[in-house]
Amino acid sequence: MTYRLPLTLLAGACLALSACQRDAGPAAAPEVPKNETADQFIERVNTEYRALYPETTAAQWLSSTYINDDSQLLAARGSERWLTKLNGWIEQSRRHEGQRMSADSARGLHLLKLKTAMPAPQDTEKLSELTRIATRLEGLYGAGSYCDGEGDRRRCRQLGELEDVLRSERDYDVQLDAWQGWHGIAQPMRQDYTRFVSLVNEGARDMGFADAGEMWRSGYDMSPVELSAETDRLWTQVKPLYDQLHCYARARLEARYPGQGSVDGLLPAHLMGNMWQQDWSNLWDILAPYTNAGSLDVGAALQRQYRLAYERRLAALNTLPEPPALAEEERTAHLATATNMTRRAEDFYTSLGLPQLPDAFWQNSQLIKPRDRDVVCHASAWSMDLDDDVRIKMCIRPNEEDFTTIYHELGHIYYYLAQQHQPPLFQEGAHDGFHEAIGDTIVLAMTPGYLASIDLVDTPQQSQAALINSQMRMALAKVAFLPFGLMIDRWRWGVFDGSITEDNYNAAWWALKARYQGVAPVAPRGEEFFDAGAKYHVPGNTPYTRYFLAHILQFQFYKALCDAAGHDGPLYDCSFYGSEAAGEKLWTMLGQGASQPWQATLQEMTGSDRMDGEALLEYFAPLQDWLKAQNEGQSCGWSSTAGGPGGAGLH
Ligand code: X8Z
Ligand code: ZN
């Protein structure tokens, strides 16, 4: 497969659109040409967009990788310029409504209003206030730290260390302490968030939407009401599988923590191996269906690789160095492991015939957490200049979750690279769920066979037990996620439309957690807390429905790429690693960007224009049968008004 090399300036977009796409100042606004046609207008917007983009993302990158007052000031100013510019374009676009124009210009005009997830008020004071609040919220999350102990025993831990506790510790109280400690960091965000909601709602109304939630739901080539109904339909399709997994996990937890493994039938929030209960993979020691059916412990293999790299460095030194030099050796080994993990992920993409990552990627990405400053560790993928300066920002540690997250992030990067020929307004996912689904589609192709081929697991056994183990491994990541993928924006849609009020933020949060995920806190979480703020995407203002849709779509994409690769056999058995035919199909889809309604892009890719949970259910059919048999005789399910002290009902 060959790739057209870009002849002109290339495209891309920082993934955290809300965070990256901020505005250029009023002073930068050029005169609006007289008698400009709609086509000329869109052409001008694309040109100005391209010109303004790099300084906006540069300020944003600095404030995310170097959190301090100065970088935040610059990021807020950059954002202010960007949003002012965007508001100006939207205002100017009104004069072209109803005029004759090309189909592409009409689509560009439509997409323009949806370019930010942070609609800003026209009022310049308020716009400026909004950008300061948004920058502060993201900084508060990035610098969040839980301190405990007194005097010499005082210690402060950031999210990564607290996640490690949930990943590896099985002591009930130690996990509870880490979970509560992290959630405490969000308390100071509540007031800012309340103001933030009021400002983005004003911005959305200025653009003609009822509120910011309606604006978010308008980005799907269907009405906001239809989109909402689509998510309900998809959830209804896959919920029976989640219910079975929930029932199974609860029984195992109850056996592991007698008398404490559930709360009125709900899963205790701090015992799920993950801060937000969105991925249960870390509970493998408790939830593995079969021992002795071959190990799938990717995390242990990565840890071994890291230790080996470290020991090699020490061995080369002959003497044991002083602590500062030792820390430097540790860091070098850490970076080498993270780089290897990233090279491994790149190799999957290049095996499909996709291009190598540009040099700038390796020069500019942040792969591990710097030792000397606060950064936003939440993984993201950036296009800095609508050209080859693409980057990821992560704090990679040698564990399975971070390993698959790299594959996820590279999905975004390859989307950027494939769209470089599109005008900036079309440089988006077909919809945002497409963008989130690409890397995850590759993750589905990381079968035990693939993992063995890269020495992360032993040669896989061929048995029913091994199959169920491998299905469970995927389900703990992909199926456990589904209701979480929905509930976050159910909460935000409610906050934006006013049906959830400030005095009810936390109660509504836990009511939705109970209803969708069937999880609950074990001690009261009153309104003095702001638990939504402990999840990156809330202070980071990244819409979340995209991830729910991605978790449906990725199975459709996977099936389509398996077909393209000529896979014959059950869906779950397919890895399209090394298939250029699959790569060609993927690259073509990525190259479309948002140039046409997503339904057309999906049709070209899968033969259907509808999102559908059927491929997911087909993939997990063996596991679903197995779970049903395991749960036989159990009384599965939960009452969404249950949930103990924290779980008020939401009807
Ligand atoms: O935020 C992410 C990516 C960046 S787009 C790391 N994800 C969601 C999350 O972490 O909550 C990927 C899966 C869901
Ligand atoms: Zn992503």
Side-chain angles (χ1 to χ4, degrees):
M1 169 176 183
T2 54
Y3 293 98
R4 216 171 340 145
L5 279 174
L7 298 173
T8 55
L9 276 180
L10 309 176
C14 157
L15 183 65
L17 295 176
S18 56
C20 297
Q21 298 186 343
R22 295 181 183 168
D23 203 308
E31 290 285 303
V32 176
K34 284 217 176 73
N35 305 324
E36 187 179 46
T37 66
D39 292 335
Q40 287 165 340
F41 168 68
I42 289 296
E43 201 182 322
R44 177 169 63 82
V45 169
N46 275 317
T47 305
E48 290 176 13
Y49 192 119
R50 214 183 268 284
L52 185 59
Y53 194 77
E55 68 178 59
T56 314
T57 49
Q60 193 63 45
W61 174 268
L62 275 183
S63 80
S64 294
T65 58
Y66 217 125
I67 303 176
N68 63 30
D69 289 347
D70 300 330
S71 64
Q72 294 203 2
L73 186 144
L74 294 175
R77 291 294 297 163
S79 177
E80 197 178 324
R81 280 197 300 278
W82 172 254
L83 289 174
T84 305
K85 188 78 174 168
L86 187 60
N87 277 351
W89 288 330
I90 292 169
E91 185 58 34
Q92 293 159 26
S93 75
R94 297 192 202 288
R95 72 185 72 147
H96 300 293
E97 280 165 11
Q99 281 183 2
R100 282 169 65 90
M101 65 185 93
S102 73
D104 276 359
S105 296
R107 185 149 183 86
L109 222 50
H110 165 71
L111 292 175
L112 187 57
K113 272 204 208 166
L114 303 167
K115 266 290 165 189
T116 178
M118 193 169 84
Q122 295 282 352
D123 180 302
T124 52
E125 280 296 312
K126 288 182 178 168
L127 186 150
S128 172
E129 182 188 1
L130 173 63
T131 64
R132 286 195 305 274
I133 292 178
T135 309
R136 193 160 59 231
L137 280 170
E138 186 154 11
L140 278 173
Y141 185 93
S145 181
Y146 165 49
C147 299
D148 64 346
E150 298 294 331
D152 288 351
R153 313 188 76 179
R154 185 167 167 81
R155 63 175 173 172
C156 293
R157 287 172 293 169
Q158 293 201 311
L159 177 60
E161 292 154 280
L162 298 168
E163 285 184 292
D164 283 343
V165 173
L166 300 188
R167 176 177 301 112
S168 315
E169 273 289 342
R170 289 297 165 255
D171 181 277
Y172 185 95
D173 291 322
V174 172
Q175 292 178 82
L176 185 57
D177 174 62
W179 186 88
Q180 288 178 334
W182 176 250
H183 281 73
I185 67 101
Q187 282 173 282
M189 295 177 190
R190 180 185 264 263
Q191 220 183 346
D192 267 346
Y193 194 74
T194 308
R195 179 69 181 149
F196 176 86
V197 168
S198 135
L199 290 170
V200 288
N201 270 343
E202 184 171 332
R205 281 194 298 271
D206 285 350
M207 287 183 199
F209 299 98
D211 61 70
E214 189 191 81
M215 175 177 168
W216 286 8
R217 293 190 296 279
S218 297
Y220 295 92
D221 296 306
M222 56 174 68
S223 74
V225 173
E226 284 167 332
L227 181 271
S228 180
E230 268 301 87
T231 58
D232 286 338
R233 177 181 70 78
L234 294 166
W235 173 231
T236 309
Q237 253 186 314
V238 295
K239 184 176 185 303
L241 176 57
Y242 179 77
D243 289 348
Q244 293 290 343
L245 188 66
H246 182 281
C247 194
Y248 168 79
R250 188 174 65 191
R252 289 277 179 122
L253 280 171
E254 282 169 350
R256 178 69 178 74
Y257 300 95
Q260 293 182 303
S262 63
V263 187
D264 295 339
L266 284 78
L267 305 170
H270 70 288
L271 290 183
M272 301 313 294
N274 174 279
M275 201 57 85
W276 311 277
Q277 312 82 45
Q278 66 184 73
D279 182 328
W280 304 348
S281 307
N282 292 326
L283 294 193
W284 186 251
D285 54 318
I286 297 175
L287 301 180
Y290 297 102
T291 47
N292 303 327
S295 164
L296 292 173
D297 198 346
V298 170
L302 293 168
Q303 276 287 343
R304 268 197 305 279
Q305 287 180 4
Y306 162 68
R307 273 200 307 273
L308 203 67
Y310 182 47
E311 281 158 15
R312 280 212 187 107
R313 292 198 66 82
L314 290 191
L317 291 174
N318 291 325
T319 55
L320 196 62
E322 294 296 310
L326 201 62
E328 197 51 46
E329 292 304 326
E330 203 178 305
R331 194 191 130 78
T332 309
H334 187 174
L335 182 60
T337 310
T339 307
N340 279 342
M341 289 162 72
T342 311
R343 285 273 179 212
R344 197 33 93 197
E346 178 194 32
D347 170 72
F348 199 119
Y349 289 87
T350 54
S351 89
L352 305 178
L354 270 57
Q356 288 192 332
L357 294 168
D359 290 344
F361 174 90
W362 298 105
Q363 279 153 17
N364 300 329
S365 287
Q366 176 201 289
L367 296 185
I368 64 173
K369 189 172 189 296
R371 283 188 300 170
D372 59 344
R373 57 187 194 262
D374 285 325
V375 299
V376 179
C377 272
H378 190 86
S380 53
W382 302 54
S383 170
M384 301 299 295
D385 59 354
L386 305 176
D387 200 334
D388 265 2
D389 187 353
V390 286
R391 309 175 184 181
I392 59 173
K393 176 185 64 57
M394 287 187 69
C395 298
I396 299 173
R397 286 157 305 159
N399 60 52
E400 179 173 7
E401 192 182 333
D402 284 3
F403 189 50
T404 53
T405 300
I406 301 170
Y407 286 69
H408 173 95
E409 295 307 329
L410 292 197
H412 293 305
I413 295 289
Y414 278 102
Y415 223 142
Y416 302 145
L417 294 175
Q419 298 177 348
Q420 290 177 335
H421 61 283
Q422 292 283 1
L425 284 173
F426 290 167
Q427 287 185 22
E428 299 281 358
H431 68 51
D432 54 8
F434 280 60
H435 229 298
E436 297 301 340
I438 304 311
D440 286 13
T441 305
I442 307 292
V443 171
L444 287 175
M446 295 167 76
T447 54
Y450 166 76
L451 293 172
S453 78
I454 57 171
D455 284 337
L456 285 179
V457 302
D458 295 336
T459 309
Q461 293 180 15
Q462 299 295 328
S463 66
Q464 183 63 12
L467 167 63
I468 295 303
N469 268 4
S470 134
Q471 290 246 300
M472 182 63 82
R473 173 180 161 269
M474 271 310 176
L476 294 179
K478 306 286 185 189
V479 178
F481 181 84
L482 292 161
F484 183 74
L486 266 190
M487 64 79 42
I488 297 240
D489 280 355
R490 291 289 190 272
W491 184 81
R492 274 189 298 201
W493 293 351
V495 167
F496 288 136
D497 74 16
S499 58
I500 296 172
T501 51
E502 192 205 347
D503 53 2
N504 206 28
Y505 275 175
N506 230 37
W509 176 259
W510 285 107
L512 287 162
K513 298 278 287 180
R515 175 169 161 184
Y516 285 100
Q517 291 182 276
V519 305
V522 296
R525 303 296 297 173
E527 295 303 328
E528 69 275 27
F529 295 108
F530 180 55
D531 291 327
K535 175 66 195 164
Y536 168 74
H537 302 70
V538 174
N541 194 44
T542 308
Y544 213 85
T545 304
R546 58 182 65 182
Y547 300 107
F548 173 74
L549 299 176
H551 276 68
I552 300 288
L553 276 172
Q554 62 191 255
F555 288 88
Q556 294 179 262
F557 294 166
Y558 173 66
K559 191 173 158 80
L561 296 183
C562 289
D563 285 347
H567 173 74
D568 190 16
L571 185 56
Y572 55 76
D573 220 11
C574 152
S575 177
F576 48 78
Y577 178 84
S579 166
E580 294 207 354
E584 181 94 50
K585 186 154 196 150
L586 179 63
W587 190 256
T588 304
M589 175 173 87
L590 302 183
Q592 292 282 8
S595 62
Q596 58 184 6
W598 63 263
Q599 291 88 341
T601 306
L602 188 62
Q603 176 87 44
E604 287 162 14
M605 175 78 170
T606 68
S608 162
D609 63 358
R610 252 163 86 92
M611 294 185 278
D612 192 78
E614 212 33 65
L616 182 152
L617 295 175
E618 179 187 338
Y619 179 96
F620 285 116
L623 182 72
Q624 186 154 17
D625 287 346
W626 185 86
L627 284 170
K628 272 189 202 144
Q630 292 294 310
N631 295 332
E632 182 103 28
Q634 296 258 5
S635 105
C636 291
W638 66 92
S639 153
S640 53
T641 52
L650 187 100
H651 304 283

